[in-house]
Amino acid sequence: MPAKAAKSGSATTEGNGRGGAGGRLPSPVGERLRAHRQDRGMSLRALARDVGVSPSLISQIEHGKATPSVGTLYSIVSELDISFDELFFDEPRGAAASPEEPAERHADSGNERTPSSHWQAPSEGPVLRSRNRLTLTLATGVRWERLTASHDPGVEFLYCTYPVGGESCPADKLMTHSGSEYGIVLEGRLGATVGEESYELEPGDSIAFDSTTPHRIWAIGERSAVAIWTVVGRDGDPRVNG
């Protein structure tokens, strides 16, 4: 199921610098986005319409001048039928294995479309050191660090940091997608809206919900929040099935 905004709202001008890497994605990300869109024969306006944002925002993302929110990213990769790894993850913070180099143990079986989806972080057997995680910084500064050395088509296992003001999506555009989510807060406080209810999570608190329910996650207070987040069972979601 493609990720979609659950509530309508005006086109957002995302990534305007609230804590997020200067409000821009690395230029290769925008270039890959444009290449995938063109490969599908989809116009910029058509993608913007399907995602629910302005054409100018898609253009800015493709040219590395804007950073989309988590919700917009979900919609983009779903509409383009690609995974997050194919488009958004940078090289590991350590010395990454080349995408062309074979990985000894690879969780992604059968998806050979794009080498970037096979990036293998250097690991010691089953152990991935923190310095070698693949990372992604989104709009409002939300940072994801992948906790698996290689791409796993069935699971997203992430170390998430929400800076002050960080959010997964705007309050008027809750997100939905396939699968189930499980999270536990390690530091700071997180707000979570699931359906019609909102909750405040403190260190040690955990949450689990069906991802098809409209939801939103955001940082509360004047301190960054850190959480471990897992999304599983996303069968049929192009972000993990490739």
Side-chain angles (χ1 to χ4, degrees), residues 124-206:
E124 302 169 19
V127 177
L128 175 65
R129 302 298 178 186
S130 61
R131 64 181 178 275
N132 291 328
R133 294 175 191 157
L134 291 162
T135 65
L136 168 65
T137 300
L138 308 170
T140 73
V142 176
R143 182 181 179 87
W144 287 355
E145 300 181 31
R146 197 176 74 183
L147 295 177
T148 54
S150 58
H151 174 58
D152 187 326
V155 177
E156 289 176 8
F157 184 34
L158 303 167
Y159 182 95
C160 302
T161 302
Y162 283 76
V164 176
E167 60 184 1
S168 62
C169 57
D172 63 346
K173 298 190 72 174
L174 305 188
M175 54 193 291
T176 65
H177 53 85
S178 300
S180 298
E181 300 194 26
Y182 308 86
I184 182 168
V185 177
L186 304 181
E187 302 176 13
R189 293 183 296 154
L190 280 178
T193 294
V194 181
E196 299 297 324
E197 302 294 330
S198 293
Y199 310 89
E200 183 174 321
L201 306 177
E202 298 182 345
D205 292 343
S206 58

Side-chain angles (χ1 to χ4, degrees), residues 19-241:
R24 300 185 179 187
L25 286 174
S27 58
V29 173
E31 293 168 3
R32 287 194 292 272
L33 168 59
R34 184 168 60 252
H36 282 292
R37 176 177 60 78
Q38 293 173 342
D39 286 346
R40 290 181 59 82
M42 180 179 289
S43 70
L44 189 150
R45 288 186 176 276
L47 178 59
R49 181 186 64 246
D50 292 344
V51 171
V53 298
S54 68
S56 63
L57 177 61
I58 296 294
S59 178
Q60 289 172 351
I61 294 170
E62 289 188 353
H63 288 87
K65 296 180 179 179
T67 302
S69 69
V70 175
T72 298
L73 282 183
Y74 277 13
S75 296
I76 288 174
V77 297
S78 294
E79 293 297 338
L80 294 179
D81 192 20
I82 57 178
S83 70
F84 268 122
D85 280 6
E86 285 180 270
L87 194 59
F88 297 108
F89 275 109
D90 297 332
E91 294 181 358
R93 288 183 288 175
S98 168
E100 289 75 24
E101 294 178 2
E104 293 182 3
R105 297 184 62 184
H106 207 291
D108 185 5
S109 57
N111 178 7
E112 298 297 333
R113 293 191 313 171
T114 305
S116 61
S117 68
H118 298 271
W119 282 354
Q120 169 87 24
S123 60
E124 302 169 19
V127 177
L128 175 65
R129 302 298 178 186
S130 61
R131 64 181 178 275
N132 291 328
R133 294 175 191 157
L134 291 162
T135 65
L136 168 65
T137 300
L138 308 170
T140 73
V142 176
R143 182 181 179 87
W144 287 355
E145 300 181 31
R146 197 176 74 183
L147 295 177
T148 54
S150 58
H151 174 58
D152 187 326
V155 177
E156 289 176 8
F157 184 34
L158 303 167
Y159 182 95
C160 302
T161 302
Y162 283 76
V164 176
E167 60 184 1
S168 62
C169 57
D172 63 346
K173 298 190 72 174
L174 305 188
M175 54 193 291
T176 65
H177 53 85
S178 300
S180 298
E181 300 194 26
Y182 308 86
I184 182 168
V185 177
L186 304 181
E187 302 176 13
R189 293 183 296 154
L190 280 178
T193 294
V194 181
E196 299 297 324
E197 302 294 330
S198 293
Y199 310 89
E200 183 174 321
L201 306 177
E202 298 182 345
D205 292 343
S206 58
I207 188 169
F209 58 90
D210 185 333
S211 303
T212 62
T213 304
H215 58 278
R216 171 178 178 256
I217 308 297
W218 71 96
I220 296 176
E222 299 303 317
R223 178 185 175 188
S224 295
V226 176
I228 299 295
W229 218 260
T230 304
V231 185
V232 297
R234 215 189 299 268
D235 294 341
D237 189 328
R239 290 182 300 115
V240 295
N241 287 342

